[in-house]
Amino acid sequence: MTLQTELPFTLPRGYVDPEGTVHRDGVMRLATAYDEIAPLRDPRVQSNPGYLVIILLSRVVVRLGSLKQVNPAVVEGLFAADLAFLQDLYARANEAGHARLAVTCPHCQGAFEVETAAAGG
């Protein structure tokens, strides 16, 4: 069994670049310990701890649409719904190592898993 280290996703609304192109499909990789430590040295995080999520997500979102790179400015430009979606995906992926949820069918009571990362909004 191989560990899935990258998770595809679809943003609920999408990032709109300066040319008006909407970018919704992307890939997030699992975070390393350094991904969580390095942003603490960033002066923007030191002056505003709320900025931590911006730096952290810009490190682990490795692809978004046809953008050449995902940097803090891109994450700053996300709609609130998309930022919340990525924060939730980050938490689920890095706590469990995947974005699957264990669910139970309300009709047959059968237990199974569903993949939620690519679902979008």
Side-chain angles (χ1 to χ4, degrees):
M1 180 175 167
T2 59
L3 176 64
Q4 181 182 4
T5 60
E6 294 189 339
L7 303 165
F9 64 81
T10 301
L11 294 176
R13 300 204 186 276
Y15 171 75
V16 182
D17 69 21
E19 288 75 39
T21 303
V22 179
H23 305 270
R24 292 188 66 209
D25 296 323
V27 175
M28 177 185 288
R29 67 169 172 77
L30 293 179
T32 64
Y34 191 71
D35 287 324
E36 295 198 346
I37 294 169
L40 299 176
R41 295 185 196 149
D42 189 295
R44 295 169 290 189
V45 174
Q46 291 175 347
S47 66
N48 179 1
Y51 204 78
L52 175 62
V53 67
I54 302 296
I55 301 295
L56 189 54
L57 288 176
S58 70
R59 294 178 62 90
V60 298
V61 175
V62 295
R63 187 178 62 78
L64 182 58
S66 61
L67 296 174
K68 292 185 179 186
Q69 69 173 9
V70 179
N71 56 34
V74 169
V75 179
E76 287 174 348
L78 292 173
F79 291 110
D82 292 332
L83 182 63
F85 173 84
L86 289 175
Q87 287 179 287
D88 181 59
L89 178 60
Y90 179 92
R92 285 185 284 121
N94 289 290
E95 289 173 8
H98 56 78
R100 292 185 301 273
L101 294 174
V103 296
T104 302
C105 174
H107 300 291
C108 70
Q109 305 305 314
F112 58 97
E113 292 183 335
V114 294
E115 185 71 38
T116 61

